[in-house]
């Protein structure tokens, strides 16, 4: 039994380990282990395409995680005090956002936005003052952030709600009995209690957005995110440079995930 | 300001966002699926079932998805169950949490990089090169259904382990002791006590994995090499390469409908299974 478990762990971690190992390999191929070198990291980090893609990915991940945690938290707090059809409708929205395959979300966002933009662009051009070039709405960083925010919001609502449900109601009641305004109660009682969950939601959202390929593939327009860059270079052939990028991406994700996990656990202990 | 308007204001941004970025786009897909392809590449709105009538042209993608998704789910289950059992029942409680986290963490990291790792391993200079060295030659692993299956199991194993672990962990260990005290052999205890009580976990795990597999694109794209393709690959082709939006929308709507139907049937089966179990346990 234990032997079996060890085998499964090896199955889970050997492939990741091999990528990390070969990212430090001086040779080009798996069959040639030729000593330690960090040259592939240097190569990846000095590649302008990689850096551009990285910048796009970081901007998108940061903005969508921020929007998602702010709006998601607001919604989660409001949903606590709401019953009836609005609540049911919102639960449905979150369910749909989580259940619909990412690829369908990507497609829907693409054709939905392109259709709306096609209607709006002539309108904007018509009302724009003569002599100036009218702005053109198109797919890009904006649509990426909007699409990521949408499905990450569902995630944040789920996480923050779980935290709110675990909270002692007597605390907020005591606060309002002591004449705190609703805003005061929120700022001084609720927010400190749910803050670890919000932060964990932010970190998870950041990782998800940063790692997302399939939605970005449809809505990125002419922009390239890091996963899109990696995908298209894999298609051109396996290079040690991808090993280095992959190892860095995995490293950053692991760091963020572990922080999120610790935050959630600490939050849980605090409430006991 | 009353509490009520307060709540409305708090809900407004998220609600609007869901409406604009999820509900309206999904409705557009639905409407487009009844349209016709415009000569310029867009969609001419219509009310025709032409696109749906054309679905058999992509039959292979549906067939591949509906065979490899269940096979992948079942294989992941068979590999995940003993591990979940080990973690919940046999593992040292001190190490339990950390071992569980170690299983789940890979799932939250980039599936792209993890699938890439298998291109590296199964590709010509990976495992086949090693096998050649020990004398097995000419074995082709990458770009086969086998490679896609390995990628699927690798990608979704963590998602299967977690719910099974939860259901086994909740299980009252005294039941197992009672069963063996009453003279049941270990395998009989497993079949008659442990396994039935872990069915909710198995059901959840299988459903999660199966739903995600139905919309899979990356694993077949990277490890199937264009020979093993899923509905997801057909969708990418229709929207990003041949730009046939009307037909693509019909394929997407069909995928979601097939998914919903499968999940509903599956839930019915599971609840019936659960009900019959209860009858047995009452007897």
């Amino acid at each position: 039994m234990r032997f079996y478990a060890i085998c499964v762990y090896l199955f889970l971690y050997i492939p990741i380990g091999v990528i990390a190992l070969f990212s430090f390999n001086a040779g080009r191929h798996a069959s040639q282990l030729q000593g330690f070198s960090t040259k592939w990291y240097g190569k990846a980090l000095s590649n302008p395409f990689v850096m551009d893609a990285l910048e796009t990915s970081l901007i998108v991940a940061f903005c969508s995680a921020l929007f998602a945690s702010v709006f998601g938290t607001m919604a989660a707090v409001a949903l606590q005090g709401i019953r009836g059809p609005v609540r049911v409708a919102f639960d449905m929205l979150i369910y749909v956002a989580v259940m619909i395959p990412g690829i369908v979300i990507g497609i829907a966002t693409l054709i939905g936005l392109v259709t709306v933009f096609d209607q709006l662009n002539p309108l904007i051009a018509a009302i724009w003052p003569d002599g100036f070039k009218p702005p053109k709405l198109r797919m890009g960083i904006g649509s990426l952030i909007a699409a990521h925010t949408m499905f990450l919001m569902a995630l944040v609502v789920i996480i923050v709600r779980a935290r709110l449900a675990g909270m002692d109601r007597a605390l907020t009641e005591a606060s309002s009995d002591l004449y705190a305004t609703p805003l005061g109660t929120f700022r001084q009682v609720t927010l400190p209690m749910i803050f670890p969950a919000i932060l964990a939601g932010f970190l998870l959202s950041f990782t998800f957005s940063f790692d997302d390929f399939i939605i970005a593939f449809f809505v990125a327009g002419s922009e390239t995110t890091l996963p899109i860059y990696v995908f298209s270079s894999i298609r051109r052939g396996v290079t040690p440079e991808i090993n280095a990028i992959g190892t860095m991406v995995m490293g950053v994700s692991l760091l963020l995930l572990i922080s999120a996990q610790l935050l959630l656990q600490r939050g849980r202990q605090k409430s006991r | 300001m009353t509490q009520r308007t307060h709540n409305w204001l708090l809900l407004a941004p998220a609600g609007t966002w869901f409406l604009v970025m999820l509900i309206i786009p999904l409705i557009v897909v639905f409407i487009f699926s009844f349209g016709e392809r415009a000569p310029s590449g867009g969609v001419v709105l219509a009310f025709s079932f032409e696109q749906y009538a054309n679905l058999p042209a992509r039959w292979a993608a549906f067939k591949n998805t509906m065979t490899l998704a269940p096979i992948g789910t079942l294989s992941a289950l068979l590999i995940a169950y003993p591990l979940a059992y080990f973690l919940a029942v046999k593992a040292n409680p001190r190490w339990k949490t950390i071992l569980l986290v170690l299983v789940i963490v890979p799932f939250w990291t980039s599936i792209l990089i993890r699938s890439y790792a298998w291109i590296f391993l199964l590709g010509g200079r990976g495992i086949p090169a090693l096998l050649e060295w020990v004398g097995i030659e000419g074995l082709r692993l990458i770009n086969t259904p086998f490679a896609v299956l390995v990628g699927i199991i690798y990608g979704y194993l963590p998602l299967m382990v977690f719910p099974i672990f939860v259901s086994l962990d909740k299980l009252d260990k005294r039941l197992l002791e009672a069963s063996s005290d009453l003279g049941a052999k270990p395998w009989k205890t497993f079949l008659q006590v442990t396994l039935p009580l872990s069915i909710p976990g198995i059901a959840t795990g299988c459903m999660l994995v199966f739903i995600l597999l139905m919309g899979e694109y990356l694993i077949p794209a990277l490890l199937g090499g264009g020979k093993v393709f899923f509905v997801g690959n057909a969708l990418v082709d229709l929207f990003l390469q041949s730009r046939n939006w009307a037909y693509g929308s019909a394929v997407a709507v069909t995928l979601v409908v097939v998914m919903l139907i499968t999940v509903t049937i599956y839930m019915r089966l599971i609840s019936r299974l659960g009900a019959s179990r209860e009858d047995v346990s009452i007897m």
Side-chain angles (χ1 to χ4, degrees), chain A residues 130-212:
Chain A
D130 286 337
F132 295 95
K133 199 174 174 282
K136 219 172 157 173
L137 295 172
R138 57 174 166 208
M139 308 303 277
I141 286 198
S143 58
L144 265 171
I145 295 174
H148 278 179
T149 302
M150 192 281 295
F151 86 93
L152 295 173
M153 239 165 25
L155 179 81
V156 173
V157 172
I158 294 171
I159 293 175
V160 173
R161 238 192 187 172
R163 187 78 199 82
L164 281 167
M167 219 173 89
D168 194 347
R169 284 226 144 187
L171 290 172
T172 47
E173 279 160 22
S175 167
S176 65
D177 286 350
L178 293 167
Y179 301 108
T181 59
L183 190 67
T185 304
F186 178 75
R187 252 196 17 222
Q188 299 194 314
V189 182
T190 315
L191 192 59
M193 298 273 299
I194 61 173
F195 194 70
I198 301 175
L199 204 58
F202 177 86
L203 293 177
L204 279 179
S205 301
F206 189 95
T207 338
F208 274 28
S209 168
F210 192 74
D211 285 343
D212 166 67

Side-chain angles (χ1 to χ4, degrees), chain A:
Chain A
M1 200 81 207
R2 176 175 286 176
F3 175 72
Y4 178 81
I6 292 172
C7 286
V8 178
Y9 280 101
L10 287 178
F11 171 67
L12 283 175
Y13 283 92
I14 280 182
I16 305 175
V18 166
I19 293 297
L21 178 71
F22 280 95
S23 71
F24 292 108
N25 180 19
R28 274 197 79 83
H29 298 297
S31 43
Q32 327 166 254
L33 256 180
Q34 288 174 343
F36 181 84
S37 149
T38 53
K39 70 173 174 187
W40 303 116
Y41 286 86
K43 231 179 163 174
L45 292 175
S46 59
N47 180 340
F49 294 109
V50 174
M51 295 320 278
D52 270 357
L54 179 67
E55 193 189 326
T56 311
S57 278
L58 287 175
I59 293 173
V60 170
F62 180 79
C63 294
S64 32
L66 188 71
F67 290 148
S69 12
V70 172
F71 297 144
T73 305
M74 283 162 61
V77 170
L79 284 172
Q80 243 205 333
I82 290 183
R83 297 272 170 281
V86 178
R87 167 109 184 214
V88 175
F90 230 87
D91 285 348
M92 283 275 279
L93 280 177
I94 290 165
Y95 187 68
V96 171
V98 176
M99 284 280 284
I100 296 274
I103 193 165
V104 176
I105 290 186
I107 288 166
T109 318
L110 170 73
I111 68 175
L113 287 183
V114 167
T115 308
V116 173
F117 290 171
D118 281 350
Q119 304 294 318
L120 285 181
N121 277 332
L123 260 168
I124 294 173
I127 57 167
W128 211 250
D130 286 337
F132 295 95
K133 199 174 174 282
K136 219 172 157 173
L137 295 172
R138 57 174 166 208
M139 308 303 277
I141 286 198
S143 58
L144 265 171
I145 295 174
H148 278 179
T149 302
M150 192 281 295
F151 86 93
L152 295 173
M153 239 165 25
L155 179 81
V156 173
V157 172
I158 294 171
I159 293 175
V160 173
R161 238 192 187 172
R163 187 78 199 82
L164 281 167
M167 219 173 89
D168 194 347
R169 284 226 144 187
L171 290 172
T172 47
E173 279 160 22
S175 167
S176 65
D177 286 350
L178 293 167
Y179 301 108
T181 59
L183 190 67
T185 304
F186 178 75
R187 252 196 17 222
Q188 299 194 314
V189 182
T190 315
L191 192 59
M193 298 273 299
I194 61 173
F195 194 70
I198 301 175
L199 204 58
F202 177 86
L203 293 177
L204 279 179
S205 301
F206 189 95
T207 338
F208 274 28
S209 168
F210 192 74
D211 285 343
D212 166 67
F213 167 77
I214 195 69
I215 296 179
F217 198 37
F218 284 97
V219 303
S222 56
E223 294 287 341
T224 305
T225 64
L226 198 56
I228 295 179
Y229 175 81
V230 171
F231 180 78
S232 50
S233 39
I234 293 173
R235 285 245 146 146
R236 271 180 266 123
V238 170
T239 67
E241 208 182 326
I242 306 175
N243 292 344
I245 300 173
T247 308
M248 287 189 278
V249 169
M250 290 295 254
V252 173
S253 308
L254 286 182
L255 211 72
L256 291 174
L257 285 164
I258 292 168
S259 326
Q261 184 65 34
L262 288 177
L263 280 166
L264 283 174
Q265 240 159 32
R266 208 208 277 164
R268 231 171 277 146
Q269 275 157 10
K270 234 184 186 173
S271 69
R272 271 183 200 150

Side-chain angles (χ1 to χ4, degrees), chain B:
Chain B
M1 200 160 49
T2 66
Q3 187 65 39
R4 222 182 132 77
T5 48
H6 209 105
N7 281 340
W8 278 104
L9 282 177
L10 286 173
L11 273 182
T16 319
W17 212 299
F18 278 129
L19 187 72
V20 174
M21 295 301 298
L22 179 69
I23 300 305
I24 294 178
L26 286 176
I27 293 173
V28 171
V29 172
F30 188 71
I31 295 174
F32 276 15
S33 73
F34 295 102
E36 275 156 18
R37 185 182 193 173
S40 58
V43 176
V44 181
L45 292 185
F47 186 72
S48 85
F49 288 90
E50 194 190 322
Q51 309 302 337
Y52 288 97
N54 246 334
L55 281 178
R58 295 281 172 167
W59 168 240
F62 278 98
K63 200 187 79 190
N64 281 338
T65 310
M66 293 312 280
T67 45
L68 272 171
I71 294 175
T73 309
L74 210 65
S75 321
L77 172 66
L78 290 177
I79 296 175
Y81 197 94
L83 182 69
Y85 184 83
F86 172 79
L87 290 176
V89 182
K90 302 274 179 188
N92 184 338
R94 269 175 58 199
W95 293 101
K96 215 185 217 173
T97 316
I98 183 93
L99 285 174
L100 184 69
V101 169
L102 275 178
V103 176
I104 295 164
V105 156
F107 181 72
W108 299 126
T109 61
S110 169
I111 181 87
L112 174 66
I113 307 284
R114 285 187 299 138
S115 306
Y116 162 72
W118 282 101
I119 300 186
F120 196 74
L121 284 175
L122 297 177
R125 293 175 187 277
I127 292 174
L130 282 177
L131 288 176
E132 223 159 90
W133 194 60
V134 295
I136 305 168
E137 278 183 44
L139 190 65
R140 219 184 132 68
L141 293 173
I142 191 83
N143 300 346
T144 59
F146 171 76
V148 176
L149 192 63
V150 170
I152 288 172
I153 296 172
Y154 186 66
Y156 293 106
L157 190 66
L159 199 61
M160 186 65 93
V161 172
F162 187 65
I164 301 177
F165 167 84
V166 170
S167 70
L168 284 171
D169 198 42
K170 273 193 306 199
L171 186 148
D172 192 342
K173 306 293 181 299
R174 284 173 302 182
L175 286 174
L176 305 182
E177 283 163 26
S179 170
S180 75
D181 287 350
L182 292 169
K185 295 250 167 29
W187 62 268
K188 222 172 171 190
T189 303
F190 175 76
L191 281 181
Q192 299 198 321
V193 182
T194 318
L195 189 62
L197 286 172
S198 60
I199 279 182
I202 296 176
T204 313
C206 286
M207 202 176 76
L208 288 175
V209 173
F210 187 73
I211 287 177
L212 285 176
L213 277 181
M214 299 259 313
E216 187 59 55
Y217 164 74
L218 266 180
I219 296 173
L222 292 177
L223 297 169
K227 288 191 211 93
V228 188
F229 46 89
F230 277 26
V231 179
N233 306 68
L235 286 171
V236 167
D237 174 47
L238 286 169
F239 280 96
L240 298 180
Q241 264 108 50
S242 49
R243 298 196 180 269
N244 192 346
W245 285 10
Y247 186 44
S249 299
V251 174
V253 171
T254 312
L255 175 67
V256 173
V257 170
V258 170
M259 206 179 90
L260 288 177
I261 294 175
T262 325
V263 170
T264 316
I265 295 175
Y266 178 76
M267 300 274 250
R268 283 270 163 81
L269 273 176
I270 291 298
S271 64
R272 191 168 298 167
L273 198 66
S276 66
R277 284 288 170 198
E278 259 163 316
D279 298 344
V280 173
S281 63
I282 288 164
M283 288 193 320

